[in-house]
Amino acid sequence: MKETIARRLTGLAGIATAAAFMVEVPLYFIYSGSPPDTNVLARLLVGILALAFLIVFVTAFRELVKAADPAYEWVGTMAFATGLVYATITLVSSGLEAGAVIAAEHPIDPTITVSGTYILYGAIGRLMLALFLTAVGYGISRTNLLPRWTGRSAFVLAGVNLVFVPSLFFGNTPAHFYAANGWGTTALMGAILSYWMLALGISTYRSATRRAPAGPPVLQH
């Protein structure tokens, strides 16, 4: 019963994370110039909620791996640690952007103006996310925690994130695909992550139903 509850919690946290990211990403493309403060603060708030849900997800996922096979507890811990680091550095970048927007006397585009966040949610975020996804994929594949496609897709997505780590050498123009804060490095990768998290969350939640005990056997007379 405890494992069933843990799977449902993990699945719901993954779905909530994905839903929040799906709301956040389109908000970056509503305005072509400097967006109004309300737009920037709204998307940052939604992103902060997504990261809070992500923290719940990585914590619960670690416990699932431990319960499935104690020998691979270290893998669950690695997924937890790297997921927590990713959430933390992204929260820091969100805080820096929000502070700059609140303090500015006129609308600004924090993805350009706040230069300190480029590497946080760019190259550093991509590297931490690649480590997180690798740990998740390895934990799933070694413990048979979830269907095989979830582990394999995690490895693929980890590789894609690694491709964007060197983007810090290619300027800071958001309109460029491959730049420190380019739309490929940030928005596209965020969108892909959100859909993957949605699929993973649904799969995890459904696995709780499949593994739920059927109840005590009926005695035959």
Side-chain angles (χ1 to χ4, degrees), residues 16-211:
T17 301
F21 278 141
M22 287 177 180
V23 172
E24 177 194 17
V25 172
L27 294 177
Y28 280 84
F29 298 94
I30 295 178
Y31 300 93
S32 58
S34 297
D37 292 358
T38 52
N39 171 267
V40 178
L41 297 178
R43 71 196 189 196
L44 290 175
L45 178 59
V46 174
I48 290 170
L49 291 175
L51 294 168
F53 290 131
L54 180 62
I55 292 173
V56 176
F57 174 84
V58 299
T59 304
F61 180 80
R62 176 181 60 177
E63 297 304 313
L64 282 183
V65 173
K66 179 181 178 181
D69 190 340
Y72 291 97
E73 180 182 358
W74 65 272
V75 180
T77 300
M78 180 175 291
F80 167 77
T82 52
L84 188 61
V85 171
Y86 170 76
T88 300
I89 60 177
T90 309
L91 286 170
V92 170
S93 66
S94 297
L96 292 173
E97 289 190 0
V101 169
I102 293 172
E105 297 181 355
H106 54 82
I108 63 172
D109 185 351
T111 62
I112 300 175
T113 306
V114 188
S115 57
T117 64
Y118 295 168
I119 309 303
L120 287 176
Y121 58 67
I124 296 176
R126 299 283 71 80
L127 180 59
M128 291 300 103
L129 197 55
L131 290 174
F132 165 71
L133 291 165
T134 300
V136 170
Y138 188 73
I140 291 174
S141 62
R142 300 303 295 179
T143 63
N144 294 318
L145 188 63
L146 293 169
R148 290 182 180 179
W149 68 264
T150 57
R152 292 173 179 173
S153 61
F155 287 132
V156 172
L157 191 53
V160 175
N161 273 271
L162 285 176
V163 170
F164 284 91
V165 173
S167 61
L168 76 168
F169 291 102
F170 294 87
N172 64 334
T173 303
H176 293 173
F177 176 79
Y178 197 83
N181 55 347
W183 65 268
T185 309
T186 57
L188 177 62
M189 296 309 301
I192 294 175
L193 175 66
S194 64
Y195 285 108
W196 180 82
M197 282 294 300
L198 178 62
L200 183 67
I202 292 173
S203 180
T204 306
Y205 188 85
R206 293 180 63 185
S207 71
T209 303
R210 291 193 295 267
R211 290 173 178 264

